[in-house]
Amino acid sequence: MHFVFSTKNRAELISSDIEERVWSYIAGVAKHHGMTPIQIGGIETHAHALVGMPTTMSSSQGAKALKGDS
């Protein structure tokens, strides 16, 4: 599943000096919720998360977990 979500008000909050920590954090959130992070990245205003999801998890549950915890 490929999720894309933006920062609040599309503000440029993900600067190059913290982006690796942000991507690692989102990968950790995915793992915590039983998803398999495949590729996590993005730019200053939004993130992309390509994850493998358990068959028992709906896409809305995955989005809620990733967005809510990050």
Side-chain angles (χ1 to χ4, degrees), residues 16-64:
S16 60
D17 57 324
I18 66 163
E19 68 182 355
E20 288 304 317
R21 290 184 297 184
V22 172
W23 311 148
S24 294
Y25 185 82
I26 293 172
V29 169
K31 288 178 188 176
H32 176 75
H33 289 281
M35 294 179 262
T36 303
I38 299 169
Q39 186 72 40
I40 311 290
I43 61 171
E44 296 87 358
T45 59
H46 68 274
H48 291 259
L50 179 63
V51 298
M53 293 177 42
T55 57
T56 58
M57 180 182 282
S58 69
S59 57
S60 63
Q61 289 171 318
K64 182 179 178 182

